[in-house]
Amino acid sequence: MTLTEKTDLKPLRSPKRESGVDVASLWDRYGILAVLLLLVALMSVIAPNFLSVNNGLNVARAVSINAILAAGMTLVILTGGIDLSVGSVVALTGVSSVLLWTAGAPAIVAVVGGMLVGAITGLINGTLVAYLGLPSFIITLGALTYIRGFSYSLTDAQPLIASDLGYRGLGNGAVAGIPTPVVIMLLVYVILWFVLERTSFGRHIYAIGGNREAARLAGIKVKWTLVRVYLIMGVCAGLAGVIFSARVESGQPKAGEGYELDAIAAVVLGGTALAGGRGRIYGTLVGALIIGVLSNGLVLMNVPFFYQLIVKGAVIVLAVGIDGLKNLKRT
Amino acid sequence: MTPPLLRMTGVSKRFGGAKALDDVHLDLRAGEVHALMGENGAGKSTLMKILSGVYTPDAGTIEINGQVTTIQNPRDALAQGIAIIHQELNTVPEMTIAENLSLGHEPTRHGVLDRKEMRRSAREKLDRIGVDISVDVPLGRLSVGMQQLVEIARAVAENAKILVLDEPTASLSQNEAERLFTLVDEMRARGMALAYISHRMEEVWRLSDRITVLRDGKWVSTTAREDVTPAQVVNHMVGRDVNNLYVHENRSAGEVVLAVSELGNGRDVGPMNLEVRAGEVVSLVGLVGAGRTELARMIFGADRAKSGQVSIDGTPISVRSPRDAIRHRIGLLPESRKEQALFLDMSIRDNTVMSSMDNYGTGGILNLRAIRDAVEREVAALRVRSTSISQNVSGLSGGNQQKVVLSRWILVQPKVLILDEPTRGVDIGAKQEIYRIINDLTLQGMAILMISSDLPEALGISDRVLVVRNGLIAKEISRAEATEQNVMMYATGVAADEHRIKEERTETPIAGEKKR
């Protein structure tokens, strides 16, 4: 019996981590940003008047509401859940704020009140999901319907016009030349980025989405963390609803229909896994921007609305498809 | 001379920049059990995946009965009579045995599924390997061992000539393993060639005719079993001497830290009593399914106890959740690290600090610098091999992953650390390092309660062992008196408790007098 070779023992190394894989992790991290830049470059060439400061601000303003929803949605999806009710919450909170204003409340009370309504919806969703252990899909699907019902019943299904809305600056104003909704959106992202990366709560969100049983055995308060995540989602939706009502200077009970799908699309485009535990909030912002740039460019090119829908849908399927293939290779 | 049934020569395979296999050769003869040994990452599974068509080799040839052949995919492999029983089983748990056994080639009559024929042929397949369970049971209800037998029945029915068993006993109970060994003997007698991957020296010695050792993707040796000793094989695997694998040094037991009295789940586990002192390792040994993990989970609050009391330092505590347990400075390293401990998409840093984040920062805002310092200190102390602490744990070897979980608990600074199969799926070099770590923890005064199904390991590093049988503690044996024989006697119930009367302190109920 002979040993054919005498290798000195090198530290055990996993075969995956070698040169070349860095490109993959770079792509994983910044690939979505590259896609956005490519899209911007493409639109600059083919869409008239696309590349201008004004149009840039327009795009940003247009995406801000979806981006704020998507920011909260990122947290929910990171836990492995989903919130389908956010579109209805946008309507209910907008309506609530306008109602408060027309009832004579000061602007600040109207704004905070609307966000509070959003928080309550989130609290209800979160409590049901966490403590009853029911699937978030079902709980929030129900909420989508009953919350819409509330916003209709509060308004008799009629829009509440408030031409002198005290907080309309939230939708139409600007801070140092930047539209206020965009400033709010950026603030939301900075705060939630901080929460996810620099707080124990944020790390627990990833942990719960990645491996719920391991999270429990590591001593994490799983249920309470989930409640807080849906609460934050509710507040984000409330914020989006208030901004929406400020922009249209009215309470629209029909507002926000289908917004949940746009928000989910932005999150998934941004590389967050629907299964939970993996993703980045900055990716969501880029994802929302991609959707915004695409719509804006198509409008500028005078592409008919129906075709816009087809292109947007196809892009989402493509992006998620590429991500799915990537994951297939990983396993 | 007739050529071997299978010959693989010069097989190489790269993944990215890393060579997983480098010029490896292996031959299998009809009617032999050929053990394939090596540390994790040595290339055993890669080689077998090439054989079964999951991977295609970059270089090398495969001959079957002397004929050069190519295996491009699993279908080719099956056509050549090669079947593999994976660690993870490829079955549908919700479907019945009969349905699983006809998966992909369901019998039909006039285009309609022929259930009668399906059940009949399944019965026949099970009978061929002497398994007498109903074919109508959903597969998921069977133990892993039984599921494995069903897989083997499928392979035998497909007239496999070459069968690869990849760590088949990893999650089997003693009885199930015995059954498997009998079946392996029968298949050998029938002239099949079996490649047998295992980390357990005992069973390799019992079953194999020849042993091939791989290390770092290279072939090291192929020898007839009677020409080597287990120690030599281990030396080939690690490339160095591993004397004194088990570490038991400078122990001195202090006060009782953990006391468990009459703890039970009201069904099949308990009531049990035990004590663990500061600075000692106490092992729960016994057969798989005896109730050891259940006991550990109740102490830690992962499952609710129906009765009994847990005390720390003489003070009774109430543990309703793992969080409560951690607050009382009890830690649990669970038996299955991927399912119950690790966050595979997260970094070493996050995995390590996950249970002690409250200590690093104020108001939930983390002090990243303090975390980095603490994690880097632990990672260095435990010798976790990694590029940086921001690396994902999914890319680490089993041993290094286990060290990450250990370091998580060390940061919690528990008084009591429960280790459930701490070296399962860990290669031998890392095992020794884990024994060293455990010994160091006892020197710091930690009380360690370990569950191990690796008997030599339990006897090697423990100060006392508690034999658990049928949900009850059947016997306490001191380090000096414990042997594999007497432990197994109590674990299997061959020896009852005539000695128990002498143990006036432990009011252990008689094994077998289990309450329902």
Side-chain angles (χ1 to χ4, degrees):
Chain A
M1 157 189 65
T2 49
L3 298 181
T4 46
E5 36 81 39
K6 298 176 190 72
T7 43
D8 40 352
L9 279 179
K10 275 174 278 175
L12 299 167
R13 236 188 290 168
S14 84
K16 276 182 202 159
R17 182 167 32 80
E18 288 286 336
S19 66
V21 182
D22 270 348
V23 180
S25 86
L26 269 181
W27 171 254
D28 200 33
R29 211 170 271 252
Y30 301 112
I32 187 73
L33 194 60
V35 170
L36 175 64
L37 294 178
L38 209 72
L39 190 66
V40 168
L42 192 72
M43 288 299 176
S44 308
V45 176
I46 60 175
N49 308 323
F50 176 81
L51 197 64
S52 71
V53 173
N54 245 339
N55 191 49
L57 292 178
N58 266 338
V59 172
R61 190 203 300 270
V63 301
S64 57
I65 287 178
N66 182 36
I68 289 169
L69 289 175
M73 190 69 79
T74 306
L75 270 60
V76 173
I77 290 181
L78 279 173
T79 66
I82 197 125
D83 190 341
L84 298 176
S85 69
V86 295
S88 300
V89 178
V90 165
L92 182 63
T93 54
V95 164
S96 308
S97 288
V98 173
L99 275 176
L100 281 169
W101 171 258
T102 49
I108 180 77
V109 173
V111 169
V112 172
M115 288 170 64
L116 209 60
V117 169
I120 292 166
T121 64
L123 199 62
I124 294 170
N125 282 338
T127 306
L128 292 175
V129 168
Y131 288 93
L132 293 189
L134 297 171
S136 54
F137 186 90
I138 305 297
I139 295 289
T140 60
L141 187 65
L144 175 148
T145 309
Y146 71 71
I147 293 172
R148 179 70 63 190
F150 276 119
S151 58
Y152 281 141
S153 58
L154 280 175
T155 59
D156 288 332
Q158 297 302 312
L160 305 167
I161 311 294
S163 48
D164 59 343
L165 197 61
Y167 60 87
R168 65 172 174 234
L170 284 183
N172 304 324
V175 179
I178 302 170
T180 313
V182 176
V183 174
I184 296 173
M185 170 190 86
L186 291 174
L187 267 174
V188 167
Y189 273 85
V190 169
I191 291 168
L192 290 188
W193 171 84
F194 186 86
V195 165
L196 282 175
E197 295 298 322
R198 296 290 168 85
T199 68
S200 51
F201 170 58
R203 297 287 88 194
H204 291 169
I205 290 173
Y206 279 92
I208 290 168
N211 190 338
R212 191 164 166 164
E213 176 64 4
R216 188 175 81 93
L217 292 180
I220 294 172
K221 293 182 196 164
V222 174
K223 290 172 181 171
W224 176 228
T225 304
L226 285 175
V227 170
R228 287 195 286 171
V229 164
Y230 285 88
L231 181 68
I232 290 175
M233 174 78 263
V235 171
C236 285
L239 197 55
V242 171
I243 294 172
F244 186 92
S245 68
R247 277 187 68 186
V248 296
E249 298 183 18
S250 58
Q252 300 281 351
K254 282 189 158 156
E257 276 179 355
Y259 279 22
E260 62 281 351
L261 298 182
D262 279 346
I264 293 165
V267 175
V268 174
L269 258 178
T272 295
L274 276 174
R278 192 153 42 85
R280 289 183 190 81
I281 194 158
Y282 116 91
T284 301
L285 181 57
V286 177
L289 285 171
I290 287 176
I291 295 175
V293 165
L294 205 60
S295 317
N296 176 265
L298 293 171
V299 169
L300 291 178
M301 284 189 286
N302 284 320
V303 174
F305 179 68
F306 308 132
Y307 293 103
Q308 289 182 30
L309 287 182
I310 294 172
V311 172
K312 264 169 70 177
V315 165
I316 290 167
V317 171
L318 200 70
V320 178
I322 290 170
D323 194 55
L325 286 178
K326 213 168 61 195
N327 287 341
L328 268 187
K329 267 196 240 160
R330 264 161 58 125
T331 48
Chain B
M1 192 183 144
T2 53
L5 193 49
L6 169 86
R7 173 177 282 150
M8 301 175 85
T9 10
V11 175
S12 297
K13 177 75 186 172
R14 278 178 171 282
F15 292 109
K19 265 201 167 172
L21 287 177
D22 185 5
D23 193 23
V24 170
H25 49 96
L26 173 75
D27 64 288
L28 298 180
R29 299 173 189 152
E32 80 161 341
V33 176
H34 195 133
L36 208 48
M37 301 198 74
E39 298 195 332
N40 289 334
K44 300 161 301 200
S45 290
T46 309
L47 186 65
M48 290 304 107
K49 281 182 175 162
I50 285 174
L51 180 60
S52 57
V54 178
Y55 299 144
T56 48
D58 298 334
T61 55
I62 300 176
E63 292 166 51
I64 289 186
N65 288 321
Q67 302 285 316
V68 175
T69 181
T70 52
I71 299 173
Q72 297 283 353
N73 52 50
R75 196 174 284 267
D76 286 355
L78 269 181
Q80 307 266 19
I82 300 166
I84 182 162
I85 311 296
H86 286 282
Q87 285 166 292
E88 300 91 22
L89 298 169
N90 294 318
T91 47
V92 189
E94 292 81 11
M95 291 166 69
T96 65
I97 294 176
E99 285 165 339
N100 269 288
L101 281 176
S102 64
L103 212 56
H105 45 82
E106 291 84 354
T108 53
R109 271 184 65 178
H110 317 302
V112 180
L113 187 63
D114 184 352
R115 287 204 160 266
K116 208 167 155 190
E117 168 59 20
M118 191 169 88
R119 297 180 65 244
R120 193 200 58 75
S121 86
R123 182 76 269 152
E124 189 182 297
K125 286 171 191 168
L126 290 186
D127 287 345
R128 271 177 79 173
I129 64 163
V131 173
D132 57 351
I133 38 175
S134 159
V135 298
D136 299 319
V137 179
L139 205 66
R141 289 233 210 103
L142 302 182
S143 65
V144 179
M146 275 297 178
Q147 294 187 29
Q148 218 165 40
L149 292 181
V150 172
E151 282 277 277
I152 293 174
R154 185 210 307 272
V156 170
E158 280 162 358
N159 287 318
K161 301 213 167 41
I162 298 166
L163 185 67
V164 180
L165 295 161
D166 192 352
E167 294 209 41
T169 56
S171 40
L172 297 197
S173 69
Q174 195 85 13
N175 284 341
E176 290 172 331
E178 284 300 329
R179 185 165 202 164
L180 178 75
F181 297 158
T182 316
L183 191 54
V184 166
D185 285 335
E186 276 170 23
M187 289 189 284
R188 167 175 30 211
R190 224 179 273 179
M192 288 170 66
L194 291 104
Y196 193 93
I197 299 180
S198 176
H199 285 292
R200 299 187 182 174
M201 200 61 81
E202 261 180 75
E203 62 192 48
V204 165
W205 236 255
R206 155 152 188 199
L207 293 172
S208 65
D209 301 294
R210 287 191 298 158
I211 301 168
T212 288
V213 177
L214 302 182
R215 188 201 323 144
D216 295 337
K218 293 182 179 134
W219 176 85
V220 178
S221 64
T222 297
T223 44
R225 189 203 52 205
E226 52 274 17
D227 295 343
V228 280
T229 64
Q232 283 171 320
V233 169
V234 170
N235 287 351
H236 291 180
M237 283 162 60
V238 298
R240 62 177 181 272
D241 261 319
V242 278
N243 290 322
N244 308 324
L245 176 61
Y246 304 115
V247 185
H248 183 278
E249 292 168 3
N250 308 324
R251 298 272 176 82
S252 65
E255 295 295 307
V256 171
V257 180
L258 172 73
V260 170
S261 71
E262 299 295 312
L263 199 66
N265 66 3
R267 297 191 312 277
D268 50 350
V269 176
M272 288 196 251
N273 297 289
L274 63 89
E275 286 179 350
V276 186
R277 293 169 178 275
E280 71 170 351
V281 177
V282 174
S283 282
L284 298 169
V285 297
L287 304 180
V288 170
R292 297 172 298 162
T293 294
E294 290 79 356
L295 173 66
R297 286 175 61 90
M298 280 191 284
I299 297 173
F300 185 64
D303 293 329
R304 284 289 182 87
K306 256 274 169 24
S307 63
Q309 180 66 53
V310 174
S311 307
I312 293 284
D313 291 337
T315 315
I317 58 170
S318 147
V319 178
R320 288 211 203 81
S321 67
R323 203 177 161 75
D324 284 347
I326 292 167
R327 211 171 17 237
H328 288 107
R329 315 236 329 252
I330 304 174
L332 169 72
L333 179 133
E335 62 177 332
S336 153
R337 63 180 164 271
K338 279 193 178 150
E339 281 79 37
Q340 300 175 317
L342 289 172
F343 306 100
L344 290 170
D345 287 318
M346 299 182 83
S347 62
I348 293 174
R349 183 199 73 169
D350 287 344
N351 272 280
T352 301
V353 81
M354 195 55 84
S355 294
S356 52
M357 280 188 183
D358 296 349
N359 304 339
Y360 300 97
T362 41
I365 295 174
L366 299 171
N367 180 345
L368 294 189
R369 177 180 295 261
I371 289 177
R372 196 193 61 207
D373 291 349
V375 172
E376 278 182 346
R377 193 184 64 231
E378 284 311 322
V379 160
L382 268 56
R383 291 200 264 166
V384 178
R385 279 136 186 124
S386 60
T387 46
S388 88
I389 60 167
S390 39
Q391 189 191 340
N392 270 10
V393 292
S394 56
L396 299 178
S397 70
N400 284 312
Q401 289 179 340
Q402 195 69 304
K403 288 187 206 166
V404 167
V405 183
L406 268 169
S407 62
R408 177 191 300 167
W409 289 114
I410 292 172
L411 282 185
V412 173
Q413 296 188 307
K415 290 177 177 167
V416 178
L417 185 54
I418 306 171
L419 304 169
D420 196 350
E421 305 286 0
T423 64
R424 176 179 284 175
V426 163
D427 65 50
I428 210 152
K431 268 187 188 176
Q432 189 171 25
E433 291 182 332
I434 289 173
Y435 302 144
R436 168 69 54 199
I437 293 164
I438 293 172
N439 198 69
D440 288 347
L441 294 178
T442 61
L443 299 186
Q444 295 163 25
M446 212 179 276
I448 308 256
L449 180 63
M450 182 171 83
I451 295 173
S452 175
S453 294
D454 182 339
L455 209 41
E457 160 183 296
L459 300 182
I461 72 168
S462 309
D463 298 287
R464 290 183 285 140
V465 296
L466 303 174
V467 185
V468 180
R469 189 173 110 79
N470 285 341
L472 299 169
I473 291 175
K475 178 73 178 163
E476 172 176 337
I477 310 179
S478 70
R479 177 178 177 79
E481 289 168 15
T483 64
E484 290 188 41
Q485 282 74 22
N486 64 11
V487 167
M488 282 319 290
M489 299 270 265
Y490 287 102
T492 55
V494 172
D497 333 59
E498 59 271 24
H499 306 286
R500 191 183 65 88
I501 303 130
K502 283 191 250 167
E503 308 259 25
E504 72 291 83
R505 192 174 48 76
T506 45
E507 275 293 300
T508 325
I510 297 168
E513 159 194 287
K514 189 170 65 166
K515 287 166 197 148
R516 279 274 163 204

